[in-house]
Amino acid sequence: MEQLINDLKSQIKEALNLEELSLEEFDENAPLFGEEGIGLDSIDVLEIIVLLEKNYGIRLANPKDGRAIFQSVRTIAEHVQANRKK
Amino acid sequence: MDIQVAGYGIICAIGNDAQSVLRSLKEGRTGIGPMRYLRSSHKELPVGEVKLSDEEMLQMLGLDEKTVISRTVLMGAVAIRQALEHANIDTQGKRVTVISGTTVGGMDITERFFKQIKDDDTLLPLVEKHDCGSSTREMADLAGLKEAQVCTVSTACSSAVNAIILGSEMLKNNEADVVITGGTEALSLFHLNGFNSLMILDKELCRPFDKSRAGLNLGEGAAFVVLQSQPHSISPQGKRIVIRGYGNRCDAFHQTASSENGEGAFLAMSEALQMAGLQPDDIQYINAHGTGTPNNDASESAAIRRVFGEKIPLVSSTKGFTGHTTSASGAIETVICILALLNDFVPSNYGWKEQDESCITPAPSPLPLLGSAVLCNSFGFGGNDSAVVIGASPNPSKGGEKHQDAETCVLAEAVIDDVEQLGELREFVSAGEARRMSKLMKAATISSLKALREAGIETPDAIITATAFGMLETSEKFLVDMLENGEETLSPTLFMQSTHNTLSSAIAIRTKCHGYNMTYSQGKDSLEWALRDARRLIGTGKAKTVLVGYHDEATPTFQEFFRRMGKPVPQEIYSRSIVLGATKNA
């Protein structure tokens, strides 16, 4: 799980071009969206959906279904672990 | 002065000419269905294709079937020829301008030959047909208008209505005698996959304004109108059609989403009504932008409610028939409005079944149209929102229009022409905001904000952008990924930064500018068109300050193409922003 969390952090950092966020600072429990967290938006949701399909073979047809999954890096990791195809 | 419609031409999913389009609308036949011509692997997506192959259109135009010409150009040339034939006016000795709205331009050809161009010198001329401006030149020539001056407007899905607005303004300011204006857009793998990456395409037939709506279906087509200032009867009954008013505003909210209260749409519709000298209840029908996405239809409904209050006229979106024909949609729907006025009917909102509380209630079946003024809405990415009022009778005489004749002066200017200078970006934007920006976006942001700062202006009245090739870096990345890795898992961030109007709308968002917003893409003439527009806005008192930008970039691939052709190699980056104002004595 810890390995998966670290992988996801660097994949998200790269895909979303979060240059100024170091992997050490990137808290897997912090909310990804909204003011008090990492501050991602709806386009980032779409990029994370692409990333999950590319790297783990997970398909998400409706971005709205992602709300619960994309709360934090940890919730994404849990979803990946349960549903990954590769 | 009234702008008279002297003729029109149309080709889209529900017909290859105006008569067949009219029949399909009246008989309730959609043109959306399984993909036949587009070579995409996404066969699950229904599309509104023109029911003709490229070869058939080449034949219609009297050309060899093997000629390689963009489908955008072919459809445009067919529609322009129809419009000219319908208008039946002598253009000899007249100042004729052809204006087209498009974003795809020659992309359908580029995506088909991109890999081969890399090793085959004989295909290099196709590179020079990629840009939007050259596609407009080519179709004007094919329609027999070799002497005409041409201009291309590229504000994504509102391009064609903005082309009609530009044409009308040129006639009003006596810059042309006859204007043939509209838009054309072929389906391309590029934008089908782009919209798909944004997850806004419905796998079922689209249902604009319906409670269960789940996205749009893409369509394709072209439509053009012939405009002039001389009175011109357009039907055997002696009916006239006039462009009565129009509005172009910016939502200045988000690159791909519309604001909840539909601010840009509200402002555009209000401006169009005001210019037409009409009250909201003078409008009998609204042809809505109504794409079928949850966001657009709710936002547009909010804007319509703000303008019309309790007394909302009949509304329908005709995209359930034609699909969303993107840059051409404003012209296709303008011609549909003209057909409605000439034939006294309101097209139905194909696909609608169930009321959504957040949406207006559309016209369910073809209804008689009792009246003489209709409104056509057309909105685009980046919040480029426009609306046009079309009437079957002339405007009441307003006793001389205001004409201020103000002179234009340069208030400030800034140039970015070296990638080294892009480091200055952090003076203006945070790291979070900068992370998605391509080189050209960075350059345009810096030069714009520097020029505005020097002029001491936070929010200009209008923003006009000129770009010959547009967002090459992001477009190429998206294209290469699609061609090499297939039509899955493509980046929405790249696609949303691929349209030419990305720059103008991003600067509007940053400067909170809800005013006039326009993007020109006409090769080396782009800047001149933008400056002409700025002078017109200032001269007629519509704006006091205008930010004009000329922004272009060249990727290494693109530069290599020019090197191989033995032509001057375009610069890696060039961005020049000019703030124009009215001279004090005006």
Side-chain angles (χ1 to χ4, degrees), chain B residues 154-207:
Chain B
S154 197
T155 57
C157 299
S158 58
S159 299
V161 157
N162 283 328
I164 291 170
I165 292 176
L166 171 64
S168 304
E169 283 291 299
M170 287 181 69
L171 288 168
K172 281 191 180 230
N173 290 285
N174 192 25
E175 296 169 50
D177 300 312
V178 178
V179 174
I180 297 114
T181 185
T184 176
E185 197 114 289
L187 277 165
S188 71
L189 293 180
F190 187 94
H191 77 285
L192 181 95
N193 280 288
F195 278 87
N196 199 34
S197 76
L198 292 170
M199 299 181 100
I200 51 174
L201 295 181
D202 196 340
K203 292 186 180 66
E204 310 294 325
L205 291 189
C206 69
R207 301 168 297 288

Short mmCIF file of all heavy atoms in Angstrom, two decimals, chain B residues 154-207:
data_model
loop_
_atom_site.label_atom_id
_atom_site.label_comp_id
_atom_site.label_asym_id
_atom_site.label_seq_id
_atom_site.Cartn_x
_atom_site.Cartn_y
_atom_site.Cartn_z
N SER B 154 -11.87 32.55 -35.20
CA SER B 154 -11.74 31.27 -34.52
C SER B 154 -11.95 31.42 -33.02
O SER B 154 -11.02 31.51 -32.24
CB SER B 154 -10.37 30.66 -34.83
OG SER B 154 -10.38 29.29 -34.51
N THR B 155 -13.23 31.45 -32.64
CA THR B 155 -13.57 31.54 -31.22
C THR B 155 -14.26 30.25 -30.78
O THR B 155 -15.29 30.27 -30.12
CB THR B 155 -14.49 32.74 -30.95
OG1 THR B 155 -15.67 32.61 -31.77
CG2 THR B 155 -13.82 34.06 -31.27
N ALA B 156 -13.71 29.11 -31.21
CA ALA B 156 -14.27 27.79 -30.91
C ALA B 156 -15.72 27.73 -31.37
O ALA B 156 -16.02 28.18 -32.47
CB ALA B 156 -14.09 27.45 -29.43
N CYS B 157 -16.62 27.24 -30.52
CA CYS B 157 -17.98 26.92 -30.99
C CYS B 157 -18.84 28.13 -31.31
O CYS B 157 -19.94 27.97 -31.84
CB CYS B 157 -18.66 25.99 -30.00
SG CYS B 157 -17.76 24.43 -29.86
N SER B 158 -18.38 29.35 -31.01
CA SER B 158 -19.16 30.53 -31.40
C SER B 158 -18.56 31.20 -32.63
O SER B 158 -18.99 32.30 -33.02
CB SER B 158 -19.23 31.52 -30.23
OG SER B 158 -17.92 31.90 -29.83
N SER B 159 -17.59 30.56 -33.28
CA SER B 159 -16.87 31.18 -34.40
C SER B 159 -17.80 31.74 -35.47
O SER B 159 -17.62 32.87 -35.94
CB SER B 159 -15.92 30.17 -35.05
OG SER B 159 -14.97 29.70 -34.14
N ALA B 160 -18.78 30.94 -35.90
CA ALA B 160 -19.59 31.34 -37.05
C ALA B 160 -20.48 32.53 -36.74
O ALA B 160 -20.67 33.40 -37.60
CB ALA B 160 -20.43 30.17 -37.55
N VAL B 161 -21.02 32.61 -35.53
CA VAL B 161 -21.83 33.79 -35.21
C VAL B 161 -20.93 35.02 -35.14
O VAL B 161 -21.30 36.10 -35.60
CB VAL B 161 -22.67 33.59 -33.92
CG1 VAL B 161 -23.04 34.92 -33.29
CG2 VAL B 161 -23.94 32.83 -34.26
N ASN B 162 -19.74 34.85 -34.63
CA ASN B 162 -18.81 35.98 -34.61
C ASN B 162 -18.40 36.38 -36.03
O ASN B 162 -18.13 37.55 -36.30
CB ASN B 162 -17.59 35.67 -33.74
CG ASN B 162 -17.93 35.81 -32.27
OD1 ASN B 162 -18.77 36.62 -31.89
ND2 ASN B 162 -17.30 35.01 -31.43
N ALA B 163 -18.36 35.42 -36.95
CA ALA B 163 -18.08 35.74 -38.36
C ALA B 163 -19.23 36.58 -38.92
O ALA B 163 -19.00 37.53 -39.69
CB ALA B 163 -17.89 34.46 -39.17
N ILE B 164 -20.46 36.25 -38.55
CA ILE B 164 -21.63 37.01 -39.02
C ILE B 164 -21.62 38.42 -38.41
O ILE B 164 -21.91 39.41 -39.09
CB ILE B 164 -22.93 36.24 -38.71
CG1 ILE B 164 -22.99 34.97 -39.58
CG2 ILE B 164 -24.17 37.11 -38.93
CD1 ILE B 164 -24.08 33.98 -39.23
N ILE B 165 -21.21 38.50 -37.16
CA ILE B 165 -21.11 39.82 -36.51
C ILE B 165 -20.06 40.67 -37.22
O ILE B 165 -20.29 41.84 -37.55
CB ILE B 165 -20.78 39.66 -35.00
CG1 ILE B 165 -21.97 39.03 -34.27
CG2 ILE B 165 -20.39 41.00 -34.38
CD1 ILE B 165 -21.73 38.73 -32.79
N LEU B 166 -18.90 40.08 -37.49
CA LEU B 166 -17.84 40.82 -38.18
C LEU B 166 -18.31 41.31 -39.55
O LEU B 166 -18.11 42.47 -39.92
CB LEU B 166 -16.58 39.94 -38.33
CG LEU B 166 -15.48 40.52 -39.22
CD1 LEU B 166 -14.90 41.80 -38.63
CD2 LEU B 166 -14.37 39.50 -39.46
N GLY B 167 -18.95 40.41 -40.30
CA GLY B 167 -19.45 40.78 -41.63
C GLY B 167 -20.42 41.95 -41.56
O GLY B 167 -20.35 42.89 -42.37
N SER B 168 -21.31 41.90 -40.59
CA SER B 168 -22.29 42.97 -40.43
C SER B 168 -21.61 44.29 -40.09
O SER B 168 -21.96 45.35 -40.62
CB SER B 168 -23.29 42.61 -39.32
OG SER B 168 -23.88 41.36 -39.60
N GLU B 169 -20.62 44.22 -39.19
CA GLU B 169 -19.89 45.44 -38.81
C GLU B 169 -19.14 46.03 -40.00
O GLU B 169 -19.08 47.25 -40.16
CB GLU B 169 -18.90 45.12 -37.68
CG GLU B 169 -19.57 44.98 -36.32
CD GLU B 169 -20.11 46.31 -35.80
OE1 GLU B 169 -19.32 47.24 -35.61
OE2 GLU B 169 -21.33 46.41 -35.61
N MET B 170 -18.57 45.16 -40.82
CA MET B 170 -17.83 45.66 -41.99
C MET B 170 -18.77 46.39 -42.95
O MET B 170 -18.42 47.43 -43.51
CB MET B 170 -17.12 44.51 -42.72
CG MET B 170 -15.92 44.00 -41.96
SD MET B 170 -15.08 42.67 -42.83
CE MET B 170 -14.38 43.58 -44.22
N LEU B 171 -19.97 45.85 -43.14
CA LEU B 171 -20.93 46.52 -44.02
C LEU B 171 -21.37 47.85 -43.41
O LEU B 171 -21.45 48.87 -44.10
CB LEU B 171 -22.16 45.62 -44.25
CG LEU B 171 -21.93 44.41 -45.15
CD1 LEU B 171 -23.11 43.45 -45.06
CD2 LEU B 171 -21.72 44.84 -46.60
N LYS B 172 -21.64 47.85 -42.13
CA LYS B 172 -22.08 49.08 -41.45
C LYS B 172 -21.03 50.18 -41.57
O LYS B 172 -21.36 51.35 -41.63
CB LYS B 172 -22.33 48.82 -39.97
CG LYS B 172 -23.66 48.17 -39.72
CD LYS B 172 -24.00 48.16 -38.24
CE LYS B 172 -25.34 47.50 -38.08
NZ LYS B 172 -26.27 48.24 -37.28
N ASN B 173 -19.77 49.77 -41.55
CA ASN B 173 -18.69 50.75 -41.61
C ASN B 173 -18.16 50.95 -43.03
O ASN B 173 -17.06 51.46 -43.21
CB ASN B 173 -17.57 50.35 -40.65
CG ASN B 173 -18.00 50.51 -39.21
OD1 ASN B 173 -18.08 51.61 -38.69
ND2 ASN B 173 -18.35 49.40 -38.57
N ASN B 174 -18.95 50.48 -44.00
CA ASN B 174 -18.61 50.67 -45.40
C ASN B 174 -17.23 50.15 -45.77
O ASN B 174 -16.48 50.79 -46.50
CB ASN B 174 -18.73 52.16 -45.77
CG ASN B 174 -18.68 52.37 -47.28
OD1 ASN B 174 -19.02 51.45 -48.04
ND2 ASN B 174 -18.23 53.54 -47.71
N GLU B 175 -16.88 48.97 -45.24
CA GLU B 175 -15.60 48.35 -45.58
C GLU B 175 -15.77 47.29 -46.67
O GLU B 175 -14.81 46.68 -47.10
CB GLU B 175 -14.98 47.71 -44.34
CG GLU B 175 -14.61 48.71 -43.26
CD GLU B 175 -14.25 48.04 -41.96
OE1 GLU B 175 -13.42 47.12 -41.97
OE2 GLU B 175 -14.82 48.42 -40.92
N ALA B 176 -17.02 46.98 -47.02
CA ALA B 176 -17.29 45.99 -48.06
C ALA B 176 -18.66 46.26 -48.64
O ALA B 176 -19.50 46.92 -48.02
CB ALA B 176 -17.24 44.58 -47.47
N ASP B 177 -18.88 45.76 -49.88
CA ASP B 177 -20.21 45.89 -50.50
C ASP B 177 -21.01 44.61 -50.30
O ASP B 177 -22.22 44.66 -50.11
CB ASP B 177 -20.07 46.16 -52.00
CG ASP B 177 -19.29 47.45 -52.27
OD1 ASP B 177 -19.62 48.46 -51.62
OD2 ASP B 177 -18.35 47.42 -53.08
N VAL B 178 -20.32 43.49 -50.40
CA VAL B 178 -20.98 42.19 -50.22
C VAL B 178 -20.10 41.35 -49.30
O VAL B 178 -18.88 41.29 -49.48
CB VAL B 178 -21.14 41.44 -51.57
CG1 VAL B 178 -21.77 40.07 -51.36
CG2 VAL B 178 -21.95 42.27 -52.55
N VAL B 179 -20.73 40.72 -48.31
CA VAL B 179 -19.99 39.83 -47.41
C VAL B 179 -20.63 38.45 -47.44
O VAL B 179 -21.84 38.33 -47.30
CB VAL B 179 -19.99 40.38 -45.96
CG1 VAL B 179 -19.33 39.36 -45.03
CG2 VAL B 179 -19.26 41.71 -45.88
N ILE B 180 -19.81 37.45 -47.67
CA ILE B 180 -20.30 36.07 -47.58
C ILE B 180 -19.70 35.52 -46.30
O ILE B 180 -18.48 35.38 -46.18
CB ILE B 180 -19.87 35.23 -48.81
CG1 ILE B 180 -20.49 35.83 -50.07
CG2 ILE B 180 -20.32 33.78 -48.68
CD1 ILE B 180 -19.52 36.40 -51.02
N THR B 181 -20.56 35.23 -45.33
CA THR B 181 -20.02 34.89 -44.02
C THR B 181 -20.76 33.74 -43.36
O THR B 181 -21.95 33.54 -43.60
CB THR B 181 -20.00 36.14 -43.10
OG1 THR B 181 -19.37 35.81 -41.87
CG2 THR B 181 -21.39 36.68 -42.83
N GLY B 182 -20.03 32.98 -42.55
CA GLY B 182 -20.64 31.82 -41.89
C GLY B 182 -19.56 30.98 -41.25
O GLY B 182 -18.61 31.52 -40.67
N GLY B 183 -19.68 29.68 -41.38
CA GLY B 183 -18.67 28.83 -40.76
C GLY B 183 -18.70 27.42 -41.31
O GLY B 183 -19.68 27.00 -41.94
N THR B 184 -17.62 26.72 -41.11
CA THR B 184 -17.53 25.34 -41.57
C THR B 184 -16.65 24.53 -40.62
O THR B 184 -15.65 25.05 -40.11
CB THR B 184 -16.96 25.28 -43.02
OG1 THR B 184 -16.81 23.90 -43.40
CG2 THR B 184 -15.62 25.97 -43.15
N GLU B 185 -17.04 23.30 -40.38
CA GLU B 185 -16.22 22.44 -39.53
C GLU B 185 -16.49 20.98 -39.86
O GLU B 185 -17.62 20.52 -39.79
CB GLU B 185 -16.54 22.68 -38.05
CG GLU B 185 -15.46 22.15 -37.13
CD GLU B 185 -14.73 23.27 -36.38
OE1 GLU B 185 -13.96 24.00 -37.02
OE2 GLU B 185 -14.97 23.39 -35.17
N ALA B 186 -15.43 20.28 -40.22
CA ALA B 186 -15.53 18.84 -40.46
C ALA B 186 -15.25 18.11 -39.16
O ALA B 186 -14.50 18.60 -38.32
CB ALA B 186 -14.51 18.43 -41.51
N LEU B 187 -15.84 16.96 -39.02
CA LEU B 187 -15.46 16.11 -37.89
C LEU B 187 -14.00 15.72 -38.06
O LEU B 187 -13.55 15.46 -39.18
CB LEU B 187 -16.33 14.85 -37.87
CG LEU B 187 -17.69 15.00 -37.21
CD1 LEU B 187 -18.59 13.83 -37.58
CD2 LEU B 187 -17.56 15.12 -35.70
N SER B 188 -13.27 15.71 -36.97
CA SER B 188 -11.88 15.25 -37.04
C SER B 188 -11.64 14.31 -35.87
O SER B 188 -12.35 14.39 -34.85
CB SER B 188 -10.90 16.43 -36.96
OG SER B 188 -10.89 16.98 -35.66
N LEU B 189 -10.67 13.42 -36.03
CA LEU B 189 -10.29 12.54 -34.91
C LEU B 189 -9.84 13.40 -33.75
O LEU B 189 -10.10 13.11 -32.59
CB LEU B 189 -9.13 11.63 -35.32
CG LEU B 189 -9.42 10.59 -36.39
CD1 LEU B 189 -8.15 9.78 -36.66
CD2 LEU B 189 -10.53 9.68 -35.93
N PHE B 190 -9.15 14.50 -34.09
CA PHE B 190 -8.58 15.37 -33.07
C PHE B 190 -9.65 15.87 -32.11
O PHE B 190 -9.57 15.69 -30.90
CB PHE B 190 -7.87 16.56 -33.76
CG PHE B 190 -7.10 17.44 -32.81
CD1 PHE B 190 -5.75 17.23 -32.60
CD2 PHE B 190 -7.72 18.48 -32.13
CE1 PHE B 190 -5.02 18.03 -31.72
CE2 PHE B 190 -7.00 19.28 -31.25
CZ PHE B 190 -5.65 19.05 -31.05
N HIS B 191 -10.70 16.49 -32.64
CA HIS B 191 -11.65 17.08 -31.69
C HIS B 191 -12.66 16.08 -31.17
O HIS B 191 -13.17 16.23 -30.07
CB HIS B 191 -12.25 18.40 -32.18
CG HIS B 191 -13.32 18.35 -33.21
ND1 HIS B 191 -13.09 18.09 -34.52
CD2 HIS B 191 -14.65 18.58 -33.11
CE1 HIS B 191 -14.22 18.17 -35.20
NE2 HIS B 191 -15.19 18.46 -34.36
N LEU B 192 -12.93 15.00 -31.93
CA LEU B 192 -13.78 13.95 -31.37
C LEU B 192 -13.11 13.37 -30.12
O LEU B 192 -13.74 13.21 -29.06
CB LEU B 192 -14.02 12.83 -32.39
CG LEU B 192 -14.92 11.71 -31.89
CD1 LEU B 192 -16.37 11.93 -32.31
CD2 LEU B 192 -14.44 10.35 -32.36
N ASN B 193 -11.83 13.10 -30.23
CA ASN B 193 -11.10 12.57 -29.08
C ASN B 193 -10.91 13.61 -27.99
O ASN B 193 -10.87 13.27 -26.81
CB ASN B 193 -9.76 11.98 -29.52
CG ASN B 193 -9.93 10.60 -30.09
OD1 ASN B 193 -10.19 9.65 -29.36
ND2 ASN B 193 -9.86 10.48 -31.40
N GLY B 194 -10.81 14.85 -28.38
CA GLY B 194 -10.69 15.93 -27.40
C GLY B 194 -11.95 16.06 -26.56
O GLY B 194 -11.88 16.07 -25.32
N PHE B 195 -13.09 16.12 -27.22
CA PHE B 195 -14.35 16.19 -26.48
C PHE B 195 -14.54 14.93 -25.64
O PHE B 195 -15.07 14.98 -24.53
CB PHE B 195 -15.54 16.38 -27.44
CG PHE B 195 -15.76 17.81 -27.86
CD1 PHE B 195 -15.09 18.34 -28.95
CD2 PHE B 195 -16.64 18.63 -27.17
CE1 PHE B 195 -15.28 19.67 -29.33
CE2 PHE B 195 -16.85 19.95 -27.54
CZ PHE B 195 -16.17 20.47 -28.64
N ASN B 196 -14.10 13.80 -26.19
CA ASN B 196 -14.22 12.54 -25.44
C ASN B 196 -13.36 12.57 -24.18
O ASN B 196 -13.77 12.09 -23.13
CB ASN B 196 -13.81 11.38 -26.36
CG ASN B 196 -14.34 10.05 -25.85
OD1 ASN B 196 -15.42 9.99 -25.27
ND2 ASN B 196 -13.57 9.00 -26.04
N SER B 197 -12.16 13.19 -24.28
CA SER B 197 -11.30 13.27 -23.10
C SER B 197 -11.91 14.17 -22.03
O SER B 197 -11.62 14.02 -20.85
CB SER B 197 -9.90 13.77 -23.48
OG SER B 197 -9.91 15.17 -23.71
N LEU B 198 -12.76 15.09 -22.45
CA LEU B 198 -13.44 15.96 -21.47
C LEU B 198 -14.68 15.26 -20.90
O LEU B 198 -15.38 15.81 -20.06
CB LEU B 198 -13.83 17.29 -22.11
CG LEU B 198 -12.68 18.21 -22.51
CD1 LEU B 198 -13.20 19.39 -23.34
CD2 LEU B 198 -11.97 18.74 -21.27
N MET B 199 -14.96 14.07 -21.40
CA MET B 199 -16.09 13.24 -20.96
C MET B 199 -17.42 13.98 -21.08
O MET B 199 -18.25 13.93 -20.19
CB MET B 199 -15.85 12.74 -19.53
CG MET B 199 -14.60 11.87 -19.45
SD MET B 199 -14.27 11.23 -17.81
CE MET B 199 -14.89 9.57 -17.95
N ILE B 200 -17.61 14.65 -22.22
CA ILE B 200 -18.88 15.34 -22.42
C ILE B 200 -19.60 14.83 -23.67
O ILE B 200 -20.51 15.48 -24.16
CB ILE B 200 -18.71 16.88 -22.49
CG1 ILE B 200 -17.62 17.29 -23.49
CG2 ILE B 200 -18.43 17.46 -21.11
CD1 ILE B 200 -17.51 18.79 -23.69
N LEU B 201 -19.20 13.67 -24.18
CA LEU B 201 -19.91 13.09 -25.32
C LEU B 201 -20.88 12.03 -24.81
O LEU B 201 -20.51 11.18 -23.99
CB LEU B 201 -18.93 12.47 -26.32
CG LEU B 201 -17.98 13.43 -27.02
CD1 LEU B 201 -17.08 12.68 -28.01
CD2 LEU B 201 -18.74 14.53 -27.75
N ASP B 202 -22.11 12.07 -25.32
CA ASP B 202 -23.12 11.07 -24.94
C ASP B 202 -23.04 9.90 -25.92
O ASP B 202 -22.95 10.12 -27.13
CB ASP B 202 -24.51 11.71 -24.98
CG ASP B 202 -25.55 10.89 -24.23
OD1 ASP B 202 -25.30 9.66 -24.02
OD2 ASP B 202 -26.59 11.45 -23.86
N LYS B 203 -23.09 8.69 -25.40
CA LYS B 203 -23.09 7.52 -26.27
C LYS B 203 -24.49 7.26 -26.85
O LYS B 203 -24.66 6.49 -27.79
CB LYS B 203 -22.58 6.29 -25.53
CG LYS B 203 -21.10 6.40 -25.18
CD LYS B 203 -20.57 5.10 -24.56
CE LYS B 203 -19.10 5.20 -24.22
NZ LYS B 203 -18.79 6.18 -23.16
N GLU B 204 -25.49 7.89 -26.26
CA GLU B 204 -26.86 7.84 -26.80
C GLU B 204 -27.08 9.11 -27.61
O GLU B 204 -26.25 10.01 -27.62
CB GLU B 204 -27.88 7.81 -25.65
CG GLU B 204 -27.62 6.77 -24.58
CD GLU B 204 -27.76 5.36 -25.10
OE1 GLU B 204 -28.63 5.14 -25.96
OE2 GLU B 204 -26.97 4.49 -24.68
N LEU B 205 -28.26 9.21 -28.27
CA LEU B 205 -28.59 10.45 -28.95
C LEU B 205 -28.73 11.56 -27.91
O LEU B 205 -29.31 11.35 -26.84
CB LEU B 205 -29.91 10.31 -29.72
CG LEU B 205 -29.89 9.39 -30.95
CD1 LEU B 205 -31.19 9.52 -31.72
CD2 LEU B 205 -28.72 9.70 -31.87
N CYS B 206 -28.20 12.72 -28.22
CA CYS B 206 -28.20 13.82 -27.23
C CYS B 206 -29.62 14.31 -26.96
O CYS B 206 -30.51 14.17 -27.80
CB CYS B 206 -27.30 14.96 -27.71
SG CYS B 206 -27.93 15.84 -29.14
N ARG B 207 -29.82 14.87 -25.77
CA ARG B 207 -31.15 15.31 -25.34
C ARG B 207 -31.04 16.70 -24.71
O ARG B 207 -31.14 16.83 -23.48
CB ARG B 207 -31.74 14.31 -24.33
CG ARG B 207 -31.89 12.90 -24.89
CD ARG B 207 -32.19 11.85 -23.84
NE ARG B 207 -31.16 11.67 -22.83
CZ ARG B 207 -29.97 11.09 -23.04
NH1 ARG B 207 -29.65 10.62 -24.23
NH2 ARG B 207 -29.10 10.97 -22.06
#
